Amino acid sequence: MIQEIFSHISTGINVNFEEVAATFGAILCVFVILDRKNNLRSFRVMCIVTVAADFMDLTATFVTKSIDPGTPHAYFIVLLLNTINYCGFGCIAYSLFKYLRSYMRPTKGLHRANIAMNVVFYLYLAIHALNLVVPYIIDYDFRTGEFIRTPWSFIFGYGFPLLIVTMALVQMVQHNKEFTKRQQTTLTVSYIIVLIGVVVQAFINARVLIAHGTGVIAVIVAYFALESPDYRRMSELLKESQEAQKKIREAQRARDDLFTGMTHEIRTPLNAVIGIDQLILLEDKDPVVQVLARKIKKEGETVLSVVNSLLNQAAEQAGDQKNEGDTATPDLEGKKVLSIDDTPINLKIIEGLLGLTEAEVTSANSGHEGLEAMKNGHFDLVLIDHQMPVMDGMATMKKMRELDLKGNTPVIMVTGNDGEEYRKMYAEAGFDGYVTKPVRKDQLYAMINSLIKKGKEDA
C-alpha cells in the first residue's frame, strides 16, 4: 500500500507540484529584479539560485525519462544533469548563508565563519565534479530506468547542504540581536519546510521532486515576510521608532541626572539656611529676631517650593507636609545618636534639632569616621547623609551591614532626593526611613517618632 502511494507520488503529483513551484518562483525572480531597489542583492541571488535549481531538477527529470539510450553521450548527459541537480541543494544553502550574512555586522568571528563556509562549499563542488568521473554519489542505469544511489548520496547529496544551512542558522542565532523576532521565526519556518522536503526526497525515492520545490516555497515565504516593500517600510518605521524612543530615554536620563544634581546643589544650602533659621526661632525669643527669622523661613520655604515644582515633586512634598504624623518632640533622653555628614553646618543643624530631645549626639564628618564610632560604641539612632565624598551614604550602609554594625539600630538617610523610586532604593539598602533636605524639625521628629513606635510594636 505504502509503495503504491510512493509510486503514485513519484510518477505524477510531485512533478506537478514542482512545476507550480517553479512557475511562482520564476514570477518572484522577475518581480524582485524589477523591484531591486527595495530588496537586498543577496536575496535576489538566493531567489534566482533556488528557482534555477528547481528548473534544473525538472530538466534533469524529463531528460532522464525521455532520452534515448542510443543518443551519443546519453549516459554522460544524464550523469551531468543529475550531478548538477544534486549540486543545486548546496548552492541554495550557500546562497542562504550569504543572504543572512548581509544582515550581520562584520566581525572577526563572522569573517572566520565565512572562510569556513567557503571551504566547505568549494569542497562540496569538487566532490560533485568528481562524480562525473567516478559516479559514487548518484548514477543511472538505463537498463532498469532507475537511479543508483549509495551512502555517499545521503552524505554529499543531502548531508552537506543541510550542514551548510545549519551553519548559516547558527550564525543567525549568534547574531540574534541583528535579526527581529519575525525574521528569526520566518527563517526557522523556511528551514523546517526545506528540511521536510529534503528528508522526503532522500528517504522515499530519488524521483520524488520535493526538495527543490519546497526550497522555492521557503524563498517565497521569506520574501513576503522579510523582503517585500511593505515589510521593508514597516521595518524602517519600526527602526525609526526604536531610535526615537532610545533618544527619548537618553533625554529622560539626562533630565533625571540634571534634576538629581539640582536637588543636591540647591537643597544643601537651603538646608543650612532653613535649619539655622529653625534653631534661631527655637532659641532666640527676641520679638525683632523672631520677625526676621519668620521672614527668612517664609522666603526659604518659597524657594524650596520652586525647587520642588521644578522636580515635579511639589504635590508629593505637600502631601508629606500635611501627613507628617506625630511631630511632637521625641523623648530621646539618655539615647545616643550618631550623625554622619561631610558638611559641618549640616552636622550643627542636626545637633541643634536633636538637642531639644535630650539625646546625646555624636557627629562624624565622613562614612569612615562614622563606622569607627560605631565600632567603639553602641548608638540608638544613626543619621547618614547620602552624598559624601569617598564613601557616600549608600556605601556606608553597605559596609555597616557587612561589619554587622547595624543590628536593630534604626538608620535614617538624610538626602536631597525624594520620591517613590528613592524610597524603595533606600529601603532595599537597609535604611529604616529617610528625611529630605532641607531638614525641618517636624519632618525629622515625625520620622523619629514613627521609628520609636515601630520599635515598640516589634518588641
Side-chain angles (χ1 to χ4, degrees), residues 106-170:
T107 61
K108 291 183 179 179
L110 183 59
H111 178 66
R112 289 193 293 268
N114 186 56
I115 294 174
M117 183 66 74
N118 289 338
V119 170
V120 171
F121 179 64
Y122 293 134
L123 177 62
Y124 172 81
L125 294 180
I127 290 172
H128 278 78
L130 184 62
N131 187 76
L132 297 175
V133 181
V134 183
Y136 61 98
I137 296 177
I138 188 167
D139 198 356
Y140 187 74
D141 188 343
F142 277 103
R143 291 173 302 174
T144 62
E146 296 290 338
F147 287 102
I148 301 173
R149 294 193 299 176
T150 70
W152 300 111
S153 302
F154 299 97
I155 296 173
F156 295 117
Y158 303 102
F160 259 47
L162 287 178
L163 172 63
I164 295 173
V165 172
T166 303
M167 289 173 64
L169 292 181
V170 167

Side-chain angles (χ1 to χ4, degrees), residues 57 89 107 260 283 290-291 334 341 380 408 416:
D57 195 13
F89 292 124
T107 61
T260 299
E283 296 181 4
Q290 286 284 313
V291 170
D341 199 310
D380 300 289
N408 296 323

Side-chain angles (χ1 to χ4, degrees), residues 437-455:
K437 295 179 181 179
V439 179
R440 284 153 294 178
K441 179 172 68 71
D442 289 348
Q443 180 192 23
L444 178 61
Y445 287 2
M447 175 56 65
I448 294 174
N449 284 326
S450 69
L451 293 178
I452 292 175
K453 180 180 179 181
K454 184 175 183 297

